[in-house]
Amino acid sequence: MNEMTKTNTAEIFKDGDMVEMSYAEAIRDALDIALTNDERVILMGEDIGVYGGAFQVTGDLVHKHGEDRVIDTPISELGGAGVAVGAAATGLRPIFEFQFSDFAMLAMEQICNQAAKMRYMLGGNVSVPVVMRFPAGSGTGAAAQHSQSLEAWLAHVPGLKVIQPATPYDAKGMLLAALEDPDPVMIFEHKILYKSKGMVPKGHYTVPIGKAEIRREGTDVTIVATSIMVHKSLDAAKQLEEVGISAEVIDLKTIRPIDRETVLASVRKTSRLVCVYEAVKTLGIGAEISAMVAESDAFDYLDAPILRLGGADTPIPYNPDLEKAAVPQIDDIVVGVTQLVKGER
Amino acid sequence: MPTEVIMPKVDMDMETGTVAVWHLEEGANVEKGDALFDIETDKATMEVEAPASGSLHFIVAQKDDVIPIGGNVAWIFSKDEKVVAPAGAKSAPKSENADSAVAESNTNSVAPSEQSASAPTSAPQNNSRIRATPLAKRIARLKGIDLGLVNGSGPRGRIVKADVNIYLSSVPVISEVSKPVQSSSTVNAKSTADKLGISYSEIPVDRMRATIASRLTESKSTVPHFYLDIDCNIDALLKFRTQINVALEAAGSKKLSINDMLIRASALSLAAVPQANASWAGDRILQYDDANISVAVAIEGGLITPVVKQAQLKNMQAISAEVFDLAGRARSGKLSQSEYQGGSFSISNLGMFGVKSFNAIINPPESMILAVGKATRQFVPDENGAPIVATILSVTLSCDHRVVDGALGAKWLQHFQNLLENPILLTLDPA
């Protein structure tokens, strides 16, 4: 994944200003910077203090910034999220970590009814600048209740912003951007990505929310991917190149609001669209992207049916082979794209 | 889900098919493999079999309807299936027609400059049931192409951008340069006749006529033709034929025609001069292993060229029997596609009409065609300069100069002439 650090935004940094770190370390770095620079910032979540977080993202931040600012919450997602939303509404900049994104369902009232609607219902007099982090996705053998990708649930709610950084660079930059956003920002972090490495700028920088990035340019097909599927799509694109298929890979980064123009411009260029996402295919982000293209002028540029590659309509299985089979893999992308480009679909 | 019956692609360059006759009626029970209907392509009539068993409903393509490849023709419902109109049956074609009409008028009003004056008249009348991607449709709209003329390479005949581009590149000259000329000349014929009050009747152009028109226009305007004439003294050949036919007749066999012998002579000449048995393939030349000889046969409404395959391996009797069979079936429209494709050389004989000689148009992708006229009795000087009467057959070889240069064509003709004038050589196998 190192090659991906040379992104459009990364080019403004000189090599000496960059350092290699993992996705989890990049988030910790962002949290550290935020805690250091802004006294309104607090971290909240289950076991994020001395234990360092279920995925060791917060690490030793509690020792550096103290228990007043890195706060272990009781095992009540609704309660913890409620406190975070209230704190945000009254002037703090809380960053709330869910142990697993699956537990977001316990806090839906606070996220969807309170955080998302408060600005609207109070005539703009109050904003809720809360940031929530959701370790998400399958691949860890954690079975059906700890492996879901629920980002589309939250992306359905006006008032929320929902992002899925795919690289350490974006994980840090988008978290810092989320803190500057006056409204609630939901960050879905794929658990498998936590250990992936990449070059990350030292110090403070932001990566804009709502802006997708073309990770690889191509001419035959546009692959719109999110989170870990960006990496799988890039690997697939390499294989596709060997058989003469030039795939453009878009890292969507933000699923609400969607960067319409980047996607549409790419589809107008390549005339083919494949959406790759780990969440259940039905009613997922791929459906939204597909419909968006079909409703736009880019429709007239489609030279093949749209293809969605998403998770199977099943809970994530515990069996490791079935777990893999339930979400798109590199081979699925290679086969799907090949069929599409060769006119077999 | 009922099984769709679609217009199949049975011919390489088939774009549409015409329903010639239905063998079954609406509601009939069918078994998979039953003959459903006949289709008429450019050059042949074919039977289409039922793709599934059940009952036949929603026949949307009636006799004489022209259906694009992959277009729906009817549906077959399995026994336990409720018979309800599938998408595309009954109401659908109408609404799609309306849609395309709307789309057309939109195009006209929004971007009149993009439509040439002649485009709307040829515009997508038949597009209602054509499967094409949005991009293919868009390009067709901008370029004023009738998608009914484009061959779809996608699943079930879906037309994609590449197909439109192939179509565009195959008719670049026609669409951009000569089309206006062509259409203006057709317009002129009609407008001139109308202006001068010349009476006429209009004859609709069928598929075969359209194919002949487009193929030969393409050949004559893109293939650099040149022509070589040679006279052959066929007295010996006639005598030889008489001898053979006496024997054949005595044995109760079919007699040989001069044409059978000309095919044999052509095959042996192609084997002897293989460089002439070739096709221009853009960036290379394909030199064929076999002499596959197309024999022009006039049929009702046009002509067709069944092919005697591997003619160099066949003796005159075998050639004679094969030509008899092919020509007979050509006249009754029963040739299959493989029987009139794949020729490497053509012979056209108009001698029976009293034509002395003529220049034939090459039948692409072949590189040569031999035009055979009528044999005539002529005075020719003998070796002492005294006049003797000889039977002279004039033949004209048309050559594609990209493949066959003058000397090569001449060498082939010389070989051919030598075989006719020394007919015993026709009995030898090719070297």
Side-chain angles (χ1 to χ4, degrees), chain B residues 21 27 48-49 106 146 246 251 291 302 323 398 411:
Chain B
V21 63
V48 176
E49 295 179 350
N106 281 349
D146 181 355
V246 166
V323 170
S398 309
K411 186 176 163 195

Side-chain angles (χ1 to χ4, degrees), chain B residues 236-258 260-262 264 315-318 320 419 422-428:
Chain B
L237 186 78
L238 292 172
K239 196 170 157 197
F240 182 61
R241 184 176 80 117
T242 307
Q243 284 175 337
I244 291 174
N245 280 346
V246 166
L248 286 175
E249 204 166 14
S253 301
K254 190 176 111 35
K255 294 197 285 185
L256 293 184
S257 70
I258 290 288
D260 300 331
M261 303 174 99
L262 296 179
R264 172 71 176 166
N315 65 26
M316 284 178 282
Q317 257 187 297
S320 177
L419 286 167
N422 301 283
I424 194 74
L425 299 177
L426 293 174
T427 62
L428 298 182

Side-chain angles (χ1 to χ4, degrees), chain B residues 199-219:
Chain B
S199 66
Y200 56 84
S201 54
E202 284 189 8
I203 294 155
V205 171
D206 62 12
R207 295 291 308 176
M208 181 182 296
R209 180 59 36 202
T211 304
I212 291 171
S214 74
R215 292 269 166 76
L216 296 185
T217 301
E218 188 196 344
S219 173

